[in-house]
Amino acid sequence: MAGRDDPLNYCRAEDYFNAARTWGGPTKVVHVSETPPIPRNPQIFSPHRETHYHGVTLTFDDGTFCVVQFIRPSLFRVRYDPSVKDPNEYGDENSRTILQDFTSQLIYSLDRYRGVTWKTQVDEVAGNLKFDDEEHYDVGDGMILIIYLEPFRIQAIRKVKPLKKPYAMPDEYNAVAATDGSYKIVWETSPKTFRWQLHLDHSMLKDVVLDVIKPGHGEYVGFGEQGGTDFMKRPTFMNYFNCDNMQYQQIYNKGPLDDREPLYHSDPFFLEVNANPEHANVTATYIDNYSQIAIDFGKTNSGYTKLGTRFNSMDVFIISANNVPEIVRLQSDLVGRGMLKPRYVLGNHQACYGYSTADELNLVVDSYRKAGIPLDGMHADVDFQHEFRTFTMNPANDPKTMFSTLRDKGIKCSTNITPVISIRDVTPSRPQGYKTFQEGRDQGRFILDDRYTKGTSGNAQDVRYFNFSGGRTDEINPNDWNRRPDYGDDYNFGEYFNSNSKTTPYHGAVSYGYNNGTPGHYVDLSTEENRIWWGEQYKELFELGLEFIWQDMTTPAIGEAYGDMKGLPSRLWLNSDAVKKDPKKQLAIEIWALYSYNLHKATYHGLSRIKGRENKRNFILGRGSFSSMFRFAGLWSGDNASTWDFWRITIPQVLSVGLNGVSISGSDTGGFEPAQINGQEEKYCSPELLIRWYAGSFLLPWMRNHYVRKTRKWFQEPYQYPIHYNNNLDVPRDQYDLYMAVENIVKYYVELRYSLMQVLYDAMFENLIHGLPIAKSMLLTDTQDTSFFNETQEFLNTQYVCHRDILVAPIIQSTNENPGNNRDVYLPLEFFWYQSNLRPWDDQGMALGPPVEGGTVINYTARITNNYNDFPYVTPVFIREGSIIPQLKVRQYVDDYREPNHLKFNVYPGKNQKYYTYLDDGVSRSSAPKGLPQVQEPLAQAERENPDNVQGIDGKANSEFRKVGIYQTSSEPITNASVRTIEIVQEHDNYDPKKEIGDSYTLVIYYGEGVDVSKINVEFEPKDIGDRKPPTGSSYKSEQELRAVIITIRETLGTSEKVIAKLTPQV
């Protein structure tokens, strides 16, 4: 049963599209209806079903139906399921991924939140259907959909304006187009829009291909974790099917540079840019389907992008907007945005699969503190569990004392929580048994072993599971004990398989390698009751002192002898978690990614229900799931390795998932698994690679050194490299500087990160508001620069911008590949840029060098030495003109407020700019802004649907923060004669940050070469609020050395409604 030949299993995209060549599809629209679907359940439906439908149902000549529906004036949805026999089957319900349960409710809620009204209109034009929405709207005119009746195809057009040119023609020659824009095609399908195939034996298998025209000028970005090495995608096949894919090589065996590999996280969202050159338009596609998604991205035909689904319906959302930031905002209207995370998440973290005792954790932390490398988080892996029982801690480590001792050192701890519930109940070391297992068993909370056997013998002896390993397919006999984990599992598969009683739980197992792991059951997380129960299991861990959760093996990742593709058996029946009172069952293969989504959701809400944590922010670090899991968790990119290829893909990966609104994401710094050199595993990450990884990612959202020790690696902590060199004569003696530099350079860049913690935090806070990520592609920050679509495209792969104004260009090649340790750095057009003078400590400040014109490519040499003066140049960093960049004093952990942390703002010459900073306590949920849709609407929905059970929804948001705007205006930007005015404006005041930042702050206002700052006159308003001097007790260099005016304002930032400092050159 099952195995390689089972159609109800994963198949590679190239095999799927090869089969699709013979499929047929509709050619003609025979009927059009504007009637909304009748509710499936008369007790559960949206009250806005008729007033906020905005859709049409198309009936085709082959008897199939399609629904086309506007969600926003420039966002529409296409649904097609060839098995549908009645249009009402499409319904108004959404998947769990979408922010609201019902589409009409989502439309209504967004209209209310945005304060807009709009309408759609259907007209027949020359035998074709014109379906438009041109009511004026806050992001511009709506789209027009032209539905060609025969041959059937869809064309979306929108009025778009030319991009603003730096040196435009006179208005009289270009006035109409520049003001009103002109209609352009922004998305269209081919005359073979849909092709489909229904399987004769298995009704749930309903293949659909959607053919989309791929414009010749178009470029494509996004694609989630599978962004690969090229931020802009080249023609390829792509597979979305989240699975345990260690080192990114199980399906094709080509490694991390291969875009085809399905990875831990599925985020089928991508953007088309430059399809209408020189015009302001970006079009995005999002495919909402929990099962396998296959994409032929111009691989078999350069003129088409083919989107394929195998189960459920083809459900596609198309978004058109003027630029990438608007797309990100609109997409986050659909799938939501994350909740506010604790400030310490942005600190430095350490993890190792191999730490197993409290003494080891304390030794690591003490070593970090001795080295002076800031550290905020320690991650206790499964070795800290009691015999690999989820939700337990080994009592031998005295976990309450362990967590308390670490917290006294400023360390916040997580532990690894996998979804398996061990069946190891009573053992000699745990005579009372395992409470979570006992409750789950007695209360019937586990997934049952209920199988779909059609097309098979139904005999347990014939069952075969299917997997890929090292690029080859594999069939596994679950009856064969030799294929079970190395720790052993002597259960009888036949006794569990497809139990007739329907009360026998599915028996799975997890293997952590090295004889570690456990057989167990899996909680049915598709019901609210079970999700609440799951969340309750965290109570004891947090009472012991745990601070946050590391959610691992999320697929769920299961041993190969227990399911398909190292996950659940494809033919296992699961509850679907649909929006109904009695959810129907679906196969695991149909809702493959839903389990991991519900896992993160259950954990997030569970933490919010724990007594004593009602107002504490949650953080979950998740290994992977599906789009919108970032509402509940951050994302790390799974088990990588200590190779340059894995470092190379880190930046495109983070930038790609950021386009979908993910705030916290990143890779295991230094690599989890060892690299292989000539068939031998290296015993530690290359010192050069570790330096480049830390130094290049110092302003990415997530920083965690994570590696496997066991029998594999010896160490990876930065402070270990000098120790290893001194204790091992086999290390070449000419590498002394390199090994010493690991600790020193890493310390420098971690310190620099901590000094810029407010920049990272402000970007994370703003992610709540507009959905934009912390680390951004230059396509997000510099939308005016069209050179990214041609000669400077390659720089999108290797550069990023933190917040808006700090450009980082990491070194991603080894000295063997690039002996000169140099690289080209591109500075985006229409701005001047300065080489960064940001340093970790106040006494290290530097005067600005000359400005560099945007559009320039600089060849930058970034050698690794052990000379401290060279450390700032190990990674190229540049600052945009006019920038305002806050810095704090470096502390060993972010919430060290034993004394206030003085805040200074570095203010750079150039164009007028503004900066918003957000001040709060860094840990309370009540800090979050009230009224945001990700807070307001889920709460309102929960109250409507279940008014007695709204715990776990973030109703704590109370806007308890202070927002301060810092505005710089210059009379003559980039000239030494410029009169500069700095305004500090209180924008929102519901928190006093005196404890955190003290009762004064400093402005360091830089000037260009040739300026005598002693001749700059400073006036204040209010008159006596500031002094022209550094803060008391500081170690700043002089104004002349910095070529800057230093001002200290004698009040807590944002206390006054407005403070003005005017700087005027003396004539």
Side-chain angles (χ1 to χ4, degrees):
M1 169 175 154
R4 288 190 182 92
D5 299 326
D6 189 359
L8 301 178
N9 238 321
Y10 169 84
C11 74
R12 300 182 308 172
E14 54 267 44
D15 301 327
Y16 173 82
F17 286 110
N18 184 54
R21 292 184 300 174
T22 62
W23 302 343
T27 61
K28 180 181 178 181
V29 178
V30 297
H31 184 258
V32 178
S33 171
E34 298 179 60
T35 303
I38 298 172
R40 303 186 197 185
N41 186 325
Q43 279 78 46
I44 304 176
F45 64 91
S46 164
H48 311 287
R49 178 182 64 87
E50 295 187 4
T51 57
H52 289 73
Y53 175 56
H54 295 296
V56 295
T57 300
L58 308 177
T59 305
F60 296 123
D61 54 345
D62 62 356
T64 61
F65 304 92
C66 171
V67 173
V68 182
Q69 185 178 16
F70 276 108
I71 311 298
R72 313 303 303 138
S74 57
L75 189 166
F76 67 93
R77 178 186 190 183
V78 178
R79 285 181 285 170
Y80 184 68
D81 181 343
S83 72
V84 165
K85 302 303 180 185
D86 179 345
N88 290 313
E89 291 180 40
Y90 280 111
D92 189 34
E93 297 90 349
N94 290 321
S95 75
R96 292 301 184 188
T97 308
I98 305 302
L99 190 58
Q100 291 278 350
D101 284 347
F102 298 97
T103 303
S104 58
Q105 178 66 43
L106 175 67
I107 296 170
Y108 168 80
S109 299
L110 289 172
D111 286 353
R112 186 178 64 174
Y113 176 68
R114 299 290 177 194
V116 298
T117 58
W118 53 286
K119 65 181 180 181
T120 52
Q121 182 173 317
V122 180
D123 299 308
E124 189 168 335
V125 181
N128 297 313
L129 197 66
K130 180 185 175 188
F131 179 32
D132 70 78
D133 150 26
E134 283 201 278
E135 283 289 298
H136 192 70
Y137 169 67
D138 62 342
V139 297
D141 292 337
M143 277 193 284
I144 296 175
L145 293 183
I146 302 173
I147 299 174
Y148 293 86
L149 303 182
E150 186 179 11
F152 165 66
R153 62 189 181 95
I154 304 174
Q155 190 175 69
I157 65 175
R158 190 169 75 93
K159 193 176 284 188
V160 297
K161 296 179 181 180
L163 290 171
K164 184 180 178 182
K165 296 180 180 294
Y167 308 105
M169 292 186 293
D171 288 345
E172 59 264 31
Y173 297 103
N174 200 32
V176 175
T179 303
D180 299 331
S182 56
Y183 282 107
K184 299 287 184 182
I185 298 170
V186 296
W187 186 85
E188 61 179 328
T189 65
S190 80
K192 295 182 178 179
T193 297
F194 295 119
R195 284 174 290 151
W196 59 270
Q197 172 184 263
L198 296 179
H199 199 281
L200 296 177
D201 295 324
H202 308 298
S203 61
M204 68 286 294
L205 182 51
K206 38 195 176 185
D207 299 298
V208 176
V209 173
L210 171 61
D211 272 8
V212 181
I213 300 296
K214 184 172 177 288
H217 292 285
E219 300 285 356
Y220 297 82
V221 299
F223 300 95
E225 196 171 76
Q226 285 150 270
T229 50
D230 295 308
F231 183 71
M232 283 189 173
K233 189 65 63 184
R234 298 177 182 177
T236 185
F237 290 111
M238 299 193 74
N239 299 272
Y240 287 96
F241 191 77
N242 52 319
C243 60
D244 186 1
N245 194 342
M246 184 169 281
Q247 294 200 38
Y248 297 13
Q249 61 185 6
Q250 300 308 313
I251 313 301
Y252 295 95
N253 203 32
K254 301 293 183 183
L257 305 188
D258 193 334
D259 300 316
R260 298 172 297 172
E261 286 282 350
L263 300 182
Y264 298 90
H265 183 68
S266 293
D267 208 340
F269 173 70
F270 61 91
L271 291 73
E272 177 185 270
V273 294
N274 202 47
N276 289 293
E278 304 298 324
H279 285 79
N281 182 74
V282 179
T283 300
T285 300
Y286 168 59
I287 310 166
D288 189 14
N289 192 308
Y290 292 127
S291 190
Q292 183 183 352
I293 296 168
I295 298 179
D296 177 351
F297 181 67
K299 185 66 175 178
T300 57
N301 188 319
S302 62
Y304 298 97
T305 296
K306 303 177 193 297
L307 312 177
T309 57
R310 302 184 57 227
F311 300 90
N312 311 306
S313 65
M314 173 66 72
D315 194 353
V316 179
F317 295 82
I318 307 299
I319 311 170
S320 181
N322 294 337
N323 53 48
V324 178
E326 286 183 9
I327 289 283
V328 173
R329 181 182 65 77
L330 284 165
Q331 169 69 354
S332 65
D333 281 348
L334 273 184
V335 300
R337 298 170 196 157
M339 300 297 187
L340 188 58
K341 298 169 181 62
R343 189 180 180 98
Y344 65 75
V345 166
L346 299 167
N348 183 28
H349 295 249
Q350 178 66 54
C352 170
Y353 182 28
Y355 300 156
S356 61
T357 68
D359 288 344
E360 285 179 289
L361 294 188
N362 278 288
L363 177 61
V364 171
V365 171
D366 292 345
S367 298
Y368 265 99
R369 295 289 182 250
K370 181 179 178 182
I373 303 173
L375 185 71
D376 265 273
M378 286 295 292
H379 299 244
D381 213 324
V382 291
D383 285 316
F384 283 86
Q385 295 175 357
H386 191 204
E387 297 173 340
F388 305 107
R389 296 179 178 94
T390 305
F391 301 115
T392 68
M393 298 296 289
N394 186 346
N397 282 317
D398 187 3
K400 193 173 186 68
T401 300
M402 177 181 76
F403 289 136
S404 175
T405 302
L406 291 168
R407 192 64 185 86
D408 289 343
K409 298 174 182 179
I411 299 299
K412 284 66 69 177
C413 289
S414 79
T415 193
N416 188 313
I417 299 293
T418 67
V420 69
I421 303 301
S422 175
I423 59 174
R424 294 171 177 163
D425 187 14
V426 176
T427 62
S429 63
R430 199 176 186 93
Q432 77 279 19
Y434 178 23
K435 186 182 72 171
T436 298
F437 166 72
Q438 293 168 359
E439 284 186 8
R441 176 197 60 201
D442 297 343
Q443 297 172 15
R445 300 199 180 277
F446 298 132
I447 293 171
L448 299 177
D449 200 312
D450 184 12
R451 311 279 181 129
Y452 173 72
T453 59
K454 187 175 181 180
T456 74
S457 70
N459 189 327
Q461 293 301 314
D462 297 329
V463 173
R464 298 294 181 270
Y465 292 133
F466 173 74
N467 187 33
F468 276 87
S469 179
R472 297 179 180 178
T473 59
D474 188 14
E475 278 192 345
I476 302 100
N477 181 354
N479 301 282
D480 182 357
W481 290 18
N482 293 321
R483 298 302 300 265
R484 296 179 186 176
D486 47 13
Y487 54 76
D489 182 14
D490 59 358
Y491 87 113
N492 186 328
F493 174 70
E495 291 181 2
Y496 283 84
F497 172 72
N498 208 27
S499 168
N500 290 327
S501 66
K502 304 301 181 188
T503 59
T504 303
Y506 159 72
H507 180 107
V510 66
S511 174
Y512 306 123
Y514 320 100
N515 297 311
N516 293 340
T518 180
H521 302 314
Y522 291 81
V523 178
D524 178 3
L525 295 172
S526 63
T527 71
E528 182 183 9
E529 294 79 11
N530 286 345
R531 289 195 292 269
I532 291 173
W533 179 82
W534 173 270
E536 290 170 349
Q537 306 309 303
Y538 289 100
K539 180 175 179 289
E540 291 183 11
L541 288 174
F542 279 82
E543 287 175 347
L544 290 172
L546 200 69
E547 288 280 348
F548 63 109
I549 294 299
W550 172 10
Q551 201 90 74
D552 202 358
M553 314 297 274
T554 54
T555 316
I558 298 174
E560 63 179 9
Y562 300 86
D564 295 294
M565 294 295 289
K566 294 183 180 178
L568 293 168
S570 294
R571 287 173 169 260
L572 191 67
W573 285 114
L574 302 175
N575 289 320
S576 70
D577 194 23
V579 186
K580 320 175 182 180
K581 282 194 173 179
D582 299 309
K584 68 176 183 178
K585 285 183 176 288
Q586 289 184 278
L587 298 184
I589 186 72
E590 295 181 83
I591 49 176
W592 191 257
L594 181 59
Y595 191 92
S596 53
Y597 177 84
N598 277 333
L599 175 65
H600 293 95
K601 178 179 178 180
T603 296
Y604 183 89
H605 292 323
L607 302 189
S608 299
R609 296 183 183 105
I610 296 174
K611 187 175 182 180
R613 286 189 54 85
E614 292 87 353
N615 195 33
K616 290 195 75 171
R617 300 178 200 171
N618 301 326
F619 182 63
I620 304 162
L621 179 66
R623 191 171 76 167
S625 180
F626 192 71
S627 300
S628 87
M629 64 83 79
F630 61 83
R631 287 191 231 163
F632 314 111
L635 176 69
W636 111 92
S637 55
D639 294 334
N640 60 359
S642 299
T643 70
W644 287 89
D645 282 347
F646 270 109
W647 164 224
R648 272 188 271 274
I649 70 168
T650 294
I651 295 166
Q653 272 190 324
V654 171
L655 299 184
S656 294
V657 298
L659 292 175
N660 203 15
V662 178
S663 61
I664 301 297
S665 65
S667 63
D668 286 339
T669 302
F672 178 69
E673 293 238 305
Q676 287 207 354
I677 306 296
N678 299 321
Q680 297 293 317
E681 287 190 344
E682 290 191 315
K683 289 302 182 181
Y684 49 90
C685 177
S686 148
E688 181 188 7
L689 175 58
L690 193 67
I691 288 171
R692 293 301 188 192
W693 211 314
Y694 267 103
S697 62
F698 83 101
L699 286 179
L700 291 181
W702 179 244
M703 176 178 278
R704 180 180 74 157
N705 182 324
H706 179 211
Y707 72 102
V708 57
R709 192 167 63 186
K710 299 295 183 180
T711 60
R712 311 286 295 286
K713 287 182 177 179
W714 293 336
F715 60 87
Q716 194 162 284
E717 301 83 359
Y719 59 80
Q720 290 278 18
Y721 283 78
I723 296 171
H724 180 72
Y725 179 90
N726 290 329
N727 293 341
N728 290 272
L729 296 177
D730 57 334
V731 179
R733 296 296 93 182
D734 61 355
Q735 293 192 21
Y736 173 84
D737 281 349
L738 178 62
Y739 276 75
M740 298 302 118
V742 175
E743 178 182 320
N744 295 329
I745 293 177
V746 168
K747 177 182 177 181
Y748 176 88
Y749 279 93
V750 174
E751 287 181 336
L752 186 56
R753 177 185 182 90
Y754 273 63
S755 79
L756 295 167
M757 188 58 61
Q758 192 62 38
V759 178
L760 292 164
Y761 188 74
D762 291 336
M764 184 172 76
F765 201 102
E766 289 186 348
N767 174 262
L768 296 176
I769 300 166
H770 50 47
L772 297 178
I774 295 171
K776 300 174 179 66
S777 163
M778 293 180 289
L779 276 181
L780 275 171
T781 58
D782 292 270
T783 58
Q784 79 288 344
D785 194 336
T786 58
S787 72
F788 294 132
F789 306 127
N790 41 66
E791 64 268 21
T792 64
Q793 184 178 127
E794 64 181 287
F795 296 102
L796 295 173
N797 301 331
T798 62
Q799 297 181 186
Y800 65 92
V801 178
C802 180
H803 201 269
R804 287 191 300 271
D805 298 319
I806 307 176
L807 186 150
V808 183
I811 304 299
I812 57 171
Q813 291 180 309
S814 68
T815 298
N816 290 336
E817 299 169 288
N818 178 18
N821 292 144
N822 62 327
R823 64 157 292 166
D824 286 342
V825 178
Y826 175 70
L827 305 175
L829 285 166
E830 297 192 26
F831 289 89
F832 283 88
W833 296 82
Y834 294 95
Q835 186 168 358
S836 175
N837 65 342
L838 298 169
R839 302 293 185 266
W841 300 95
D842 290 336
D843 61 356
Q844 299 170 331
M846 300 283 292
L848 285 180
V852 182
E853 186 176 8
T856 301
V857 176
I858 297 174
N859 189 264
Y860 192 112
T861 299
R863 299 189 189 282
I864 293 174
T865 76
N866 196 32
N867 182 337
Y868 191 91
N869 292 330
D870 294 334
F871 293 174
Y873 311 107
V874 169
T875 292
V877 182
F878 287 82
I879 308 296
R880 191 190 305 271
E881 64 164 302
S883 296
I884 301 162
I885 298 176
Q887 271 190 294
L888 292 159
K889 293 185 180 299
V890 176
R891 300 281 169 85
Q892 288 299 295
Y893 50 97
V894 298
D895 53 348
D896 180 2
Y897 297 125
R898 288 172 292 183
E899 60 181 52
N901 196 333
H902 188 82
L903 186 60
K904 74 173 178 182
F905 291 91
N906 302 282
V907 185
Y908 292 84
K911 291 181 178 179
N912 296 345
Q913 292 268 32
K914 61 185 176 183
Y915 184 92
Y916 296 123
T917 192
Y918 302 85
L919 307 168
D920 59 29
D921 66 6
V923 294
S924 296
R925 289 162 59 191
S926 55
S927 303
K930 287 191 295 187
L932 293 176
Q934 68 266 41
V935 173
Q936 184 182 46
E937 291 308 326
L939 180 63
Q941 181 168 312
E943 289 171 339
R944 283 193 305 272
E945 296 173 359
N946 193 353
D948 298 324
N949 182 23
V950 296
Q951 299 100 321
I953 302 295
D954 206 346
K956 294 290 185 181
N958 195 40
S959 300
E960 292 177 7
F961 64 94
R962 178 177 289 177
K963 177 183 177 182
V964 180
I966 299 92
Y967 301 83
Q968 175 180 212
T969 56
S970 302
S971 61
E972 300 177 59
I974 303 288
T975 70
N976 295 332
S978 174
V979 176
R980 299 168 68 181
T981 302
I982 314 299
E983 295 187 31
I984 298 95
V985 180
Q986 179 198 95
E987 306 278 353
H988 174 82
D989 188 25
N990 194 25
Y991 183 78
D992 182 0
K994 184 175 181 179
K995 171 190 171 184
E996 289 82 16
I997 61 171
D999 55 8
S1000 67
Y1001 59 96
T1002 299
L1003 305 175
V1004 181
I1005 305 163
Y1006 289 100
Y1007 280 82
E1009 294 176 331
V1011 174
D1012 183 352
V1013 292
S1014 67
K1015 296 182 179 179
I1016 302 291
N1017 184 57
V1018 180
E1019 300 173 87
F1020 295 106
E1021 184 182 327
K1023 186 175 181 181
D1024 298 323
I1025 200 165
D1027 296 306
R1028 186 170 176 173
K1029 64 179 184 180
T1032 303
S1034 66
S1035 54
Y1036 285 53
K1037 292 181 179 178
S1038 69
E1039 287 192 340
Q1040 286 69 32
E1041 289 175 292
L1042 294 175
R1043 205 183 316 115
V1045 173
I1046 302 174
I1047 296 170
T1048 297
I1049 306 297
R1050 297 188 307 276
E1051 69 173 21
T1052 301
L1053 178 65
T1055 300
S1056 297
E1057 291 187 4
K1058 182 182 285 188
V1059 173
I1060 299 174
K1062 185 176 181 181
L1063 293 84
T1064 307
Q1066 296 178 11
V1067 179

